[in-house]
């Protein structure tokens, strides 16, 4: 039986503030998933813990500082890119952020704060984002 494939860590932040979830829309010129709505997310760098990745990616993508986080799930998935399979291990977190306004990175073109009860039904939201929001709702 084959062993588990080598996978790169990925974090996904379900940011909740005042009963609303933050979604970000990827820029139209991004190579991967242009115009897709998602929860803030990003890949783990060498030597980083998933918690360090979470804080860094959240700040880079939204300008918001991490106040607290609770892991709500993880799994193993793959991406077929350029004829090769890349394995990823996403870690979903329920996140609270400090005060401040959203400041998007160049990777994103829009953001929205949506009620937690309906955020997973936002048009154009990635399936992974939908699943993470549902995980967060079940844990609250």
């Amino acid at each position: 039986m084959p062993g588990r494939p080598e996978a790169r860590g990925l974090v996904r932040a379900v940011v909740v503030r005042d009963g609303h979830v933050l979604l970000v829309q990827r820029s139209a010129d991004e190579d991967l998933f242009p115009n897709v709505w998602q929860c803030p997310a990003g890949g783990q760098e060498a030597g980083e813990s998933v918690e360090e990745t979470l804080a860094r990616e959240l700040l880079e993508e939204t300008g918001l500082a991490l106040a607290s986080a609770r892991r709500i799930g993880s799994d193993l998935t793959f991406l077929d890119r350029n004829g090769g399979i890349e394995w990823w291990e996403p870690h979903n977190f329920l996140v609270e952020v400090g005060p401040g306004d959203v400041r998007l990175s160049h990777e994103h073109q829009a953001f929205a704060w949506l009620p937690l009860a309906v955020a997973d039904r936002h048009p154009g939201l990635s399936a992974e984002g939908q699943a993470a929001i549902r995980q967060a709702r079940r844990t609250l």
Side-chain angles (χ1 to χ4, degrees), residues 39-127:
C39 296
Q44 192 173 8
E45 294 181 357
E48 268 186 333
S49 69
V50 290
E51 292 80 8
E52 291 168 331
T53 302
L54 179 65
R56 178 184 53 78
E57 286 289 345
L58 188 62
L59 189 59
E60 287 176 3
E61 292 190 359
T62 69
L64 298 172
L66 178 66
S68 68
R70 179 171 37 136
R71 191 182 310 226
I72 57 175
S74 62
D75 59 14
L76 187 63
T77 189
F78 70 92
L79 175 65
D80 185 355
R81 184 155 69 168
N82 301 324
I85 300 295
E86 294 178 10
W87 287 93
W88 292 85
E89 185 175 10
H91 301 276
N92 296 334
F93 287 87
L94 178 60
V95 169
E96 291 183 12
V97 293
D101 296 326
V102 174
R103 293 184 319 275
L104 294 176
S105 72
H106 67 278
E107 298 173 345
H108 298 93
Q109 61 190 4
F111 72 93
W113 288 98
L114 300 172
L116 179 60
V118 298
D120 61 317
R121 297 192 298 254
H122 183 68
L125 178 61
S126 69

XYZ file of all heavy atoms in Angstrom, residues 39-127:
680
model
N -11.761 32.357 1.292
C -11.288 32.823 2.590
C -9.805 33.137 2.416
O -9.130 32.515 1.590
C -11.457 31.727 3.637
S -13.175 31.266 3.959
N -9.272 34.101 3.149
C -7.831 34.353 3.051
C -7.052 33.057 3.277
O -7.349 32.290 4.193
C -7.576 35.364 4.174
C -8.891 36.059 4.351
C -9.929 34.995 4.111
N -6.074 32.817 2.417
C -5.343 31.543 2.467
C -3.964 31.720 1.854
O -3.725 32.653 1.094
C -6.116 30.472 1.705
N -3.078 30.775 2.181
C -1.759 30.816 1.584
C -0.902 29.646 1.999
O -1.230 28.921 2.937
N 0.189 29.486 1.277
C 1.077 28.352 1.473
C 2.115 28.575 2.546
O 2.613 29.680 2.753
N 2.437 27.479 3.200
C 3.432 27.456 4.267
C 4.827 27.533 3.657
O 5.125 26.864 2.675
C 3.257 26.160 5.053
C 3.988 26.081 6.342
C 3.608 24.822 7.122
O 2.906 23.951 6.619
N 4.091 24.730 8.329
N 5.673 28.367 4.253
C 7.054 28.476 3.811
C 7.939 27.582 4.665
O 7.581 27.227 5.786
C 7.514 29.931 3.886
C 6.769 30.821 2.900
C 7.222 32.260 2.926
O 8.096 32.628 3.757
O 6.694 33.047 2.128
N 9.091 27.229 4.125
C 10.022 26.352 4.844
C 10.340 26.930 6.213
O 10.624 28.120 6.352
C 11.302 26.170 4.035
N 10.269 26.084 7.231
C 10.606 26.475 8.579
C 9.493 27.155 9.351
O 9.665 27.461 10.532
N 8.367 27.417 8.718
C 7.242 28.067 9.382
C 6.304 27.035 9.990
O 6.036 26.007 9.381
C 6.394 28.856 8.372
C 6.737 30.266 8.167
C 5.744 30.982 7.254
O 5.092 30.349 6.393
O 5.650 32.198 7.393
N 5.760 27.346 11.154
C 4.657 26.550 11.684
C 3.385 26.994 10.963
O 3.354 28.074 10.365
C 4.505 26.783 13.188
O 4.040 28.098 13.438
N 2.341 26.200 11.038
C 1.092 26.612 10.387
C 0.538 27.869 11.054
O -0.068 28.713 10.387
C 0.036 25.483 10.343
C 0.445 24.385 9.388
C -0.288 24.939 11.702
N 0.759 28.033 12.350
C 0.300 29.228 13.042
C 1.044 30.468 12.557
O 0.451 31.537 12.398
C 0.448 29.061 14.559
C -0.484 28.029 15.165
C -0.016 26.571 15.000
O 1.128 26.328 14.531
O -0.804 25.670 15.346
N 2.350 30.345 12.330
C 3.126 31.461 11.772
C 2.661 31.786 10.360
O 2.552 32.959 9.986
C 4.619 31.127 11.771
C 5.228 31.065 13.153
C 6.624 30.456 13.166
O 6.950 29.611 12.297
O 7.391 30.823 14.079
N 2.390 30.761 9.570
C 1.890 30.966 8.212
C 0.564 31.696 8.250
O 0.327 32.626 7.473
C 1.734 29.619 7.473
O 2.992 28.956 7.444
C 1.230 29.822 6.057
N -0.309 31.286 9.147
C -1.623 31.913 9.273
C -1.490 33.407 9.557
O -2.099 34.239 8.885
C -2.418 31.214 10.375
C -3.811 31.753 10.655
C -4.724 31.537 9.451
C -4.391 31.083 11.893
N -0.685 33.767 10.541
C -0.510 35.178 10.897
C 0.091 35.964 9.731
O -0.360 37.078 9.428
C 0.361 35.301 12.143
N 1.114 35.397 9.084
C 1.770 36.093 7.960
C 0.826 36.285 6.795
O 0.687 37.391 6.253
C 3.011 35.299 7.507
C 3.718 35.931 6.300
C 4.886 35.095 5.809
N 4.562 33.709 5.538
C 3.922 33.271 4.437
N 3.509 34.122 3.507
N 3.713 31.978 4.257
N 0.145 35.218 6.376
C -0.748 35.299 5.220
C -1.914 36.250 5.477
O -2.306 37.017 4.601
C -1.271 33.920 4.829
C -0.250 33.047 4.135
C 0.086 33.507 2.712
O -0.655 34.322 2.131
O 1.107 33.031 2.189
N -2.462 36.200 6.671
C -3.576 37.086 7.010
C -3.148 38.542 6.905
O -3.843 39.369 6.303
C -4.075 36.758 8.420
C -5.338 37.454 8.873
C -6.525 37.088 7.983
C -5.635 37.105 10.313
N -1.985 38.856 7.465
C -1.488 40.233 7.406
C -1.162 40.637 5.974
O -1.524 41.735 5.532
C -0.254 40.377 8.303
C 0.257 41.790 8.528
C -0.812 42.677 9.166
C 1.508 41.773 9.382
N -0.494 39.758 5.213
C -0.133 40.077 3.825
C -1.369 40.288 2.949
O -1.399 41.209 2.138
C 0.703 38.947 3.215
C 2.113 38.872 3.724
C 2.889 37.692 3.168
O 2.361 36.921 2.325
O 4.045 37.527 3.590
N -2.359 39.439 3.098
C -3.511 39.476 2.184
C -4.576 40.479 2.582
O -5.304 40.967 1.717
C -4.136 38.090 2.061
C -3.235 37.113 1.353
C -3.918 35.806 1.013
O -5.115 35.629 1.341
O -3.247 34.958 0.398
N -4.701 40.777 3.890
C -5.815 41.620 4.328
C -5.389 42.838 5.140
O -6.212 43.714 5.394
C -6.799 40.810 5.193
O -6.179 40.495 6.445
C -7.262 39.555 4.482
N -4.137 42.869 5.607
C -3.697 43.947 6.475
C -4.201 43.813 7.899
O -3.999 44.706 8.710
N -4.860 42.690 8.215
C -5.420 42.476 9.549
C -4.482 41.610 10.385
O -3.920 40.637 9.879
C -6.796 41.802 9.448
C -7.867 42.599 8.708
C -9.118 41.748 8.504
C -8.192 43.893 9.460
N -4.356 41.973 11.648
C -3.490 41.224 12.559
C -4.287 40.118 13.243
O -5.429 40.323 13.669
C -2.900 42.161 13.605
N -3.674 38.975 13.360
C -4.274 37.828 14.025
C -4.383 38.099 15.525
O -3.401 38.454 16.167
C -3.408 36.591 13.780
C -3.847 35.288 14.427
C -5.162 34.806 13.832
C -2.768 34.224 14.247
N -5.595 37.930 16.089
C -5.793 38.056 17.531
C -5.872 36.680 18.177
O -5.261 36.436 19.210
C -7.056 38.863 17.833
N -6.624 35.771 17.563
C -6.708 34.402 18.068
C -7.133 33.480 16.927
O -7.741 33.925 15.944
C -7.699 34.285 19.226
O -9.020 34.496 18.779
N -6.804 32.207 17.082
C -7.142 31.225 16.046
C -7.360 29.868 16.680
O -6.691 29.509 17.648
C -6.026 31.143 15.010
N -8.301 29.135 16.101
C -8.574 27.766 16.530
C -8.674 26.894 15.286
O -9.443 27.184 14.373
C -9.889 27.728 17.306
C -10.266 26.350 17.765
C -11.438 26.341 18.713
N -12.459 27.324 18.409
C -13.757 27.081 18.432
N -14.210 25.905 18.773
N -14.615 28.016 18.147
N -7.871 25.845 15.253
C -7.900 24.936 14.106
C -9.244 24.206 14.098
O -9.667 23.663 15.103
C -6.758 23.939 14.173
C -6.589 23.158 12.874
C -5.499 22.137 12.976
N -4.272 22.722 13.514
C -3.079 22.513 13.008
N -2.924 21.738 11.967
N -2.010 23.057 13.553
N -9.905 24.207 12.945
C -11.218 23.576 12.840
C -11.235 22.400 11.873
O -12.246 21.726 11.752
C -12.317 24.596 12.461
C -11.969 25.317 11.147
C -12.529 25.576 13.600
C -13.049 26.246 10.642
N -10.125 22.151 11.204
C -10.078 21.000 10.313
C -8.864 21.031 9.417
O -8.202 22.054 9.253
N -8.552 19.882 8.851
C -7.492 19.767 7.857
C -7.776 18.532 7.021
O -8.543 17.657 7.417
C -6.107 19.692 8.500
O -6.003 18.559 9.311
N -7.171 18.495 5.860
C -7.331 17.338 4.982
C -6.156 17.288 4.019
O -5.188 18.006 4.174
C -8.675 17.361 4.255
C -8.879 18.612 3.397
O -7.907 19.340 3.141
O -10.012 18.859 2.971
N -6.245 16.445 3.044
C -5.207 16.308 2.030
C -5.874 16.446 0.669
O -6.911 15.827 0.413
C -4.532 14.935 2.163
C -3.307 14.671 1.302
C -2.170 15.631 1.676
C -2.849 13.232 1.477
N -5.310 17.269 -0.190
C -5.898 17.483 -1.505
C -4.776 17.649 -2.523
O -3.606 17.732 -2.165
C -6.831 18.716 -1.494
O -7.545 18.783 -2.727
C -6.043 20.000 -1.287
N -5.133 17.679 -3.791
C -4.117 17.867 -4.820
C -4.594 18.851 -5.865
O -5.782 19.112 -6.015
C -3.730 16.536 -5.467
C -4.796 15.930 -6.334
C -4.850 16.200 -7.692
C -5.761 15.088 -5.784
C -5.842 15.656 -8.485
C -6.744 14.536 -6.568
C -6.785 14.817 -7.925
N -3.626 19.376 -6.591
C -3.864 20.304 -7.681
C -3.099 19.785 -8.877
O -1.905 19.492 -8.777
C -3.364 21.700 -7.277
C -3.416 22.799 -8.317
C -4.858 23.112 -8.680
C -2.736 24.046 -7.775
N -3.789 19.637 -9.998
C -3.150 19.217 -11.244
C -2.710 20.486 -11.962
O -3.527 21.210 -12.516
C -4.131 18.410 -12.093
C -3.491 17.835 -13.348
O -2.315 18.128 -13.622
O -4.176 17.079 -14.057
N -1.399 20.770 -11.905
C -0.889 22.013 -12.479
C 0.241 21.710 -13.443
O 1.221 21.069 -13.083
C -0.411 22.941 -11.369
C 0.041 24.273 -11.905
C -0.052 25.373 -10.928
N 0.888 25.293 -9.821
C 1.099 26.296 -8.994
N 0.444 27.417 -9.134
N 1.956 26.169 -8.007
N 0.087 22.177 -14.667
C 1.104 22.016 -15.704
C 1.488 20.550 -15.904
O 2.661 20.222 -16.088
C 2.353 22.845 -15.381
C 2.044 24.326 -15.261
O 1.204 24.844 -16.000
N 2.679 24.992 -14.338
N 0.508 19.681 -15.833
C 0.748 18.265 -16.067
C 1.353 17.520 -14.894
O 1.636 16.337 -14.988
N 1.531 18.205 -13.762
C 2.084 17.554 -12.578
C 1.148 17.704 -11.402
O 0.398 18.672 -11.311
N 1.173 16.746 -10.530
C 0.306 16.770 -9.356
C 1.057 17.398 -8.182
O 2.177 17.002 -7.867
C -0.143 15.344 -8.971
C -0.913 14.693 -10.118
C -0.959 15.359 -7.682
C -2.223 15.366 -10.454
N 0.445 18.393 -7.556
C 0.966 19.014 -6.348
C 0.034 18.635 -5.206
O -1.179 18.841 -5.299
C 0.979 20.545 -6.466
C 1.941 21.073 -7.500
C 1.879 22.592 -7.598
O 1.239 23.252 -6.745
O 2.473 23.125 -8.542
N 0.576 18.079 -4.145
C -0.217 17.711 -2.976
C -0.162 18.829 -1.959
O 0.902 19.411 -1.712
C 0.300 16.407 -2.368
C -0.060 15.230 -3.215
C 0.698 14.664 -4.187
C -1.280 14.507 -3.192
N 0.029 13.617 -4.773
C -1.194 13.497 -4.176
C -2.448 14.593 -2.429
C -2.222 12.590 -4.422
C -3.471 13.690 -2.666
C -3.357 12.714 -3.657
N -1.307 19.141 -1.374
C -1.437 20.202 -0.384
C -2.167 19.657 0.840
O -3.070 18.831 0.714
C -2.248 21.370 -0.950
C -1.536 22.098 -2.033
C -1.513 21.782 -3.368
C -0.728 23.255 -1.899
N -0.745 22.684 -4.055
C -0.249 23.598 -3.176
C -0.364 24.042 -0.802
C 0.573 24.690 -3.393
C 0.455 25.135 -1.026
C 0.917 25.451 -2.305
N -1.761 20.143 2.016
C -2.460 19.804 3.248
C -3.026 21.094 3.844
O -2.344 21.823 4.560
C -1.512 19.136 4.244
C -2.219 18.672 5.488
C -1.303 17.903 6.428
O -0.071 17.877 6.210
O -1.838 17.335 7.387
N -4.297 21.395 3.510
C -4.915 22.611 4.036
C -5.290 22.471 5.512
O -5.801 21.435 5.932
C -6.181 22.782 3.197
C -6.091 21.792 2.097
C -5.147 20.729 2.540
N -5.034 23.540 6.263
C -5.415 23.627 7.670
C -6.377 24.807 7.794
O -5.992 25.944 7.527
C -4.192 23.867 8.557
C -3.152 22.808 8.435
N -3.199 21.627 9.154
C -2.051 22.733 7.646
C -2.157 20.882 8.830
N -1.446 21.526 7.917
N -7.615 24.519 8.180
C -8.623 25.556 8.314
C -8.656 26.058 9.753
O -8.611 25.260 10.688
C -9.997 25.023 7.926
C -10.062 24.629 6.468
O -9.326 25.155 5.642
N -10.927 23.701 6.146
N -8.730 27.387 9.895
C -8.761 28.013 11.203
C -9.946 28.959 11.307
O -10.253 29.687 10.359
C -7.488 28.839 11.439
C -6.259 28.029 11.680
C -5.486 27.575 10.625
C -5.855 27.725 12.975
C -4.336 26.832 10.842
C -4.703 26.984 13.205
C -3.954 26.530 12.139
N -10.573 28.963 12.475
C -11.539 29.987 12.839
C -10.727 31.104 13.478
O -9.984 30.860 14.439
C -12.563 29.417 13.821
C -13.614 30.383 14.348
C -14.445 30.970 13.221
C -14.506 29.670 15.348
N -10.837 32.308 12.932
C -9.915 33.390 13.273
C -10.657 34.624 13.760
O -11.683 35.004 13.191
C -9.071 33.754 12.027
C -8.287 35.026 12.227
C -8.151 32.604 11.655
N -10.103 35.223 14.795
C -10.506 36.565 15.221
C -9.326 37.485 14.939
O -8.171 37.090 15.114
C -10.858 36.592 16.699
C -12.133 35.831 17.036
C -12.497 35.933 18.508
O -11.902 36.765 19.226
O -13.363 35.159 18.932
N -9.642 38.694 14.488
C -8.598 39.663 14.154
C -8.712 40.883 15.054
O -9.756 41.138 15.654
C -8.685 40.090 12.668
C -8.339 38.930 11.764
C -10.044 40.667 12.327
N -7.639 41.625 15.118
C -7.636 42.875 15.866
C -8.401 43.949 15.101
O -8.895 43.716 13.998
N -8.458 45.138 15.685
C -9.160 46.233 15.017
C -8.423 46.652 13.753
O -7.242 46.380 13.590
C -9.156 47.346 16.059
C -8.010 47.032 16.955
C -7.860 45.537 16.950
N -9.139 47.311 12.885
C -8.525 47.830 11.669
C -9.365 47.528 10.456
O -10.300 46.730 10.500
N -9.011 48.185 9.390
C -9.715 48.029 8.118
C -8.954 47.080 7.210
O -7.719 46.967 7.294
C -9.855 49.386 7.418
C -10.716 50.356 8.216
O -11.674 49.904 8.873
O -10.414 51.566 8.187
N -9.669 46.437 6.311
C -9.063 45.527 5.337
C -8.258 46.340 4.330
O -8.745 47.338 3.789
C -10.150 44.687 4.624
C -9.538 43.850 3.515
C -10.893 43.809 5.623
N -7.034 45.896 4.083
C -6.169 46.452 3.038
C -5.697 45.277 2.200
O -4.863 44.480 2.654
C -4.980 47.196 3.658
C -5.358 48.458 4.403
C -4.140 49.226 4.931
N -3.077 48.403 5.498
C -3.039 47.954 6.755
N -4.021 48.232 7.590
N -2.022 47.229 7.184
N -6.227 45.162 1.012
C -5.944 44.005 0.165
C -4.558 44.051 -0.453
O -4.046 45.123 -0.791
C -6.976 43.911 -0.958
C -8.413 43.621 -0.534
C -9.328 43.660 -1.752
C -8.514 42.279 0.165
N -3.996 42.870 -0.641
C -2.736 42.731 -1.370
C -3.019 42.789 -2.867
O -4.179 42.782 -3.295
C -2.079 41.387 -1.031
O -2.806 40.327 -1.636
N -1.953 42.782 -3.665
C -2.101 42.784 -5.118
C -2.754 41.498 -5.633
O -3.239 41.467 -6.756
C -0.735 42.970 -5.786
C 0.179 41.802 -5.577
N 0.919 41.634 -4.428
C 0.435 40.724 -6.360
C 1.603 40.508 -4.507
N 1.329 39.928 -5.653
N -2.787 40.450 -4.796
C -3.377 39.168 -5.209
C -4.895 39.191 -5.218
O -5.519 38.273 -5.731
C -2.917 38.048 -4.271
C -1.428 37.804 -4.264
C -1.015 36.803 -3.192
O -1.820 36.521 -2.279
O 0.118 36.315 -3.270
N -5.482 40.253 -4.637
C -6.935 40.308 -4.499
C -7.471 41.631 -5.012
O -6.793 42.650 -4.954
C -7.340 40.077 -3.040
C -6.934 38.726 -2.558
N -5.736 38.499 -1.917
C -7.548 37.531 -2.660
C -5.631 37.205 -1.645
N -6.715 36.594 -2.080
N -8.720 41.589 -5.486
C -9.308 42.791 -6.069
C -10.550 43.285 -5.335
O -11.005 44.398 -5.588
C -9.653 42.551 -7.543
C -10.666 41.443 -7.766
C -10.797 41.059 -9.221
O -10.072 41.564 -10.092
N -11.729 40.168 -9.522
N -11.112 42.486 -4.447
C -12.308 42.902 -3.720
C -12.429 42.084 -2.436
O -11.804 41.031 -2.299
C -13.551 42.690 -4.589
N -13.247 42.598 -1.525
C -13.549 41.852 -0.302
C -14.984 42.130 0.096
O -15.597 43.103 -0.341
C -12.576 42.202 0.835
C -12.773 43.570 1.427
C -13.586 43.751 2.534
C -12.134 44.674 0.878
C -13.763 45.007 3.081
C -12.303 45.930 1.427
C -13.125 46.104 2.533
N -15.517 41.257 0.935
C -16.878 41.422 1.443
C -16.970 40.790 2.823
O -16.351 39.760 3.081
C -17.880 40.762 0.496
N -17.736 41.432 3.694
C -18.080 40.861 4.994
C -19.511 40.362 4.862
O -20.423 41.154 4.642
C -18.008 41.911 6.094
C -16.623 42.335 6.471
C -15.958 43.455 6.041
C -15.730 41.663 7.364
N -14.714 43.507 6.614
C -14.546 42.423 7.445
C -15.825 40.491 8.109
C -13.461 42.055 8.222
C -14.744 40.114 8.902
C -13.580 40.892 8.962
N -19.706 39.060 4.983
C -21.030 38.463 4.805
C -21.481 37.783 6.085
O -20.645 37.227 6.823
C -20.995 37.437 3.673
C -20.597 37.992 2.314
C -20.396 36.872 1.323
C -21.661 38.946 1.808
N -22.790 37.778 6.361
C -23.280 37.087 7.551
C -22.839 35.622 7.550
O -22.924 34.937 6.526
C -24.800 37.208 7.446
C -25.028 38.388 6.557
C -23.871 38.405 5.597
N -22.370 35.168 8.706
C -21.882 33.797 8.837
C -22.926 32.782 8.367
O -22.582 31.770 7.750
C -21.484 33.523 10.285
C -20.981 32.134 10.628
C -19.740 31.782 9.830
C -20.698 32.022 12.122
N -24.181 33.044 8.613
C -25.253 32.100 8.276
C -25.386 31.851 6.775
O -25.894 30.803 6.373
C -26.581 32.591 8.840
N -24.941 32.795 5.942
C -25.142 32.646 4.492
C -23.864 32.794 3.674
O -23.889 32.663 2.449
C -26.195 33.656 3.966
C -27.545 33.406 4.602
C -25.728 35.100 4.191
N -22.739 33.061 4.324
C -21.490 33.338 3.596
C -21.075 32.196 2.679
O -20.496 32.430 1.614
C -20.363 33.658 4.574
N -21.374 30.955 3.069
C -20.967 29.804 2.249
C -21.756 29.700 0.951
O -21.413 28.904 0.087
C -21.082 28.500 3.047
C -22.494 28.211 3.508
O -23.182 29.151 3.971
O -22.911 27.047 3.419
N -22.772 30.533 0.774
C -23.579 30.504 -0.462
C -23.252 31.671 -1.390
O -23.948 31.886 -2.383
C -25.058 30.496 -0.099
C -25.462 29.246 0.674
C -26.960 29.088 0.792
N -27.593 30.171 1.523
C -28.061 30.083 2.765
N -27.938 28.956 3.428
N -28.633 31.111 3.348
N -22.185 32.394 -1.098
C -21.807 33.542 -1.936
C -21.441 33.061 -3.346
O -20.656 32.120 -3.490
C -20.625 34.279 -1.310
C -20.212 35.497 -2.057
N -20.993 36.620 -2.129
C -19.094 35.766 -2.774
C -20.377 37.533 -2.855
N -19.223 37.036 -3.256
N -22.000 33.692 -4.395
C -21.674 33.283 -5.772
C -20.178 33.400 -6.043
O -19.550 34.387 -5.691
C -22.452 34.274 -6.641
C -23.487 34.856 -5.746
C -22.931 34.809 -4.349
N -19.611 32.389 -6.630
C -18.203 32.399 -6.983
C -17.269 31.961 -5.878
O -16.053 31.945 -6.066
N -17.807 31.610 -4.703
C -16.969 31.154 -3.596
C -16.458 29.750 -3.891
O -17.213 28.882 -4.307
C -17.766 31.154 -2.279
C -17.037 30.650 -1.033
C -15.812 31.505 -0.726
C -17.994 30.629 0.150
N -15.176 29.538 -3.652
C -14.570 28.236 -3.898
C -15.222 27.165 -3.029
O -15.718 27.441 -1.928
C -13.064 28.278 -3.603
O -12.852 28.438 -2.212
N -15.194 25.940 -3.511
C -15.740 24.813 -2.743
C -14.996 24.668 -1.420
O -15.600 24.337 -0.385
C -15.648 23.529 -3.561
